[in-house]
Amino acid sequence: MARLLRLDEAIAELVGDGDVVALEGFTHLIPVAAGHEIIRARKRDLTLCRMTPDIVYDQLIGAGCARKLVFSWGGNPGVGSLHRFRDAVQHDWPVPLEIEEHSHAGMANRYVAGASGLPFAVLRGYLGTDLPAQTSNIRTIECPFTGERLAAVPALNPDVGIVHAQRADRAGNVQLWGITGVQKETVLASARSLVTVEEIVDELEPVPGAIVLPGWAVTAVAQVPGGSHPSYAQGYSERDNTAYQQWDPIGRDRERFTEWLRTSVFEEAGA
């Protein structure tokens, strides 16, 4: 059964320096509060994985938490680039950042393979791109039945998978709905998992199309209302488009970003 912990307790216990960490959410239910707690805990040398790293990964990279990023697209959705990400890649600030780039299909299939206990995934993809020449974790194999040439990518099994969801019950069973991305696969593929939720309830009421992650598959649950802001949690909050727009000038400037870290992440939490 998943344990119910405070967010700071969960991050301190589950995330260690040097870990492979995935904070997943596809435009929706992005675990932003958990990312900020990782910054406050001053975790270092992390390999950060995510299909679509956006501003919370920009913040983690700018705070010096990451040494490598494994991803399939990066940007401030609807606004532009991730400038802390660019600064780390181009100028090694605040620390050098290694990158490993895949397609969306490649990343999703890596999580599926990891969740399925398989060593790798096979897909029709990467044709016509130069990603295989840039990424050593993309290989070509021959189908033993048809002779077709296919792409293969290794399973992705993070040390820690972190997602946000709408609610959980007191036994740690988690319920999420709406755009769910690869949250389920991330939890099942990870050695340890944390789910932050809008609320903890006595009983999960049925919701059409909802996914339920059983408590036995989750390591810890933390109640964090608004834990996905500025992304949204269907049924609980709307996307804060202004926050994404406001991030662009903050992320562009090292001094302004450093001040934002001090006032909005560390001082706000009394860290």
Side-chain angles (χ1 to χ4, degrees):
M1 184 177 76
R3 290 174 295 141
L4 305 183
L5 300 174
R6 295 196 319 266
L7 178 58
D8 60 341
E9 294 175 329
I11 294 299
E13 177 180 329
L14 299 179
V15 180
D17 290 346
D19 277 352
V20 178
V21 182
L23 292 88
E24 278 293 351
F26 196 75
T27 77
H28 174 231
L29 297 175
I30 298 170
V32 176
H36 289 176
E37 187 57 40
I38 290 172
I39 294 173
R40 281 191 289 271
R42 293 176 169 82
K43 301 297 182 179
R44 293 293 182 265
D45 297 321
L46 302 179
T47 294
L48 295 177
C49 305
R50 188 167 160 202
M51 286 181 62
T52 55
D54 67 350
I55 66 174
V56 68
Y57 269 44
D58 209 29
Q59 294 158 4
L60 284 158
I61 291 166
C65 298
R67 66 171 178 83
K68 182 176 180 179
L69 178 66
V70 182
F71 71 112
S72 52
W73 175 90
N76 184 345
V79 179
S81 294
L82 297 177
H83 301 287
R84 293 301 91 225
F85 174 24
R86 291 176 66 95
D87 205 5
V89 172
Q90 295 176 339
H91 304 115
D92 295 340
W93 193 93
V95 293
L97 182 70
E98 180 184 351
I99 60 173
E100 178 182 323
E101 188 174 1
H102 291 269
S103 67
H104 279 347
M107 283 292 288
N109 276 276
R110 293 191 69 190
Y111 281 120
V112 170
S116 303
L118 296 172
F120 64 92
V122 178
L123 66 150
R124 290 188 178 94
Y126 298 105
L127 297 176
T129 78
D130 68 348
L131 280 174
Q134 310 301 323
T135 303
S136 62
N137 271 341
I138 302 169
R139 307 289 177 86
T140 301
I141 64 171
E142 181 178 300
C143 173
F145 302 104
T146 67
E148 181 182 2
R149 302 298 292 175
L150 298 167
V153 288
L156 183 52
N157 292 105
D159 296 307
V160 191
I162 302 175
V163 301
H164 189 71
Q166 280 92 342
R167 58 193 178 204
D169 65 19
R170 301 190 187 284
N173 300 301
V174 173
Q175 187 182 42
L176 63 156
W177 62 90
I179 299 174
T180 52
V182 291
Q183 282 97 322
K184 175 183 69 175
E185 291 80 5
T186 298
V187 168
L188 294 177
S190 299
R192 304 179 297 279
S193 59
L194 166 64
V195 183
T196 58
V197 295
E198 294 292 322
E199 62 174 337
I200 294 174
V201 297
D202 293 328
E203 184 176 353
L204 300 177
E205 298 179 3
V207 175
I211 293 172
V212 174
L213 298 171
W216 56 261
V218 177
T219 306
V221 171
Q223 180 171 287
V224 187
S228 65
H229 181 267
S231 76
Y232 69 104
Q234 185 171 322
Y236 288 81
S237 63
E238 295 184 355
R239 189 178 191 271
D240 185 350
N241 294 318
T242 300
Y244 286 93
Q245 295 168 341
Q246 291 174 339
W247 177 252
D248 187 74
I250 296 171
R252 283 180 183 272
D253 182 81
R254 292 180 185 178
E255 291 186 6
R256 189 166 178 181
F257 168 74
T258 302
E259 178 65 12
W260 175 87
L261 269 185
R262 184 182 67 81
T263 59
S264 299
V265 177
F266 289 108
E267 286 186 0
E268 187 172 281

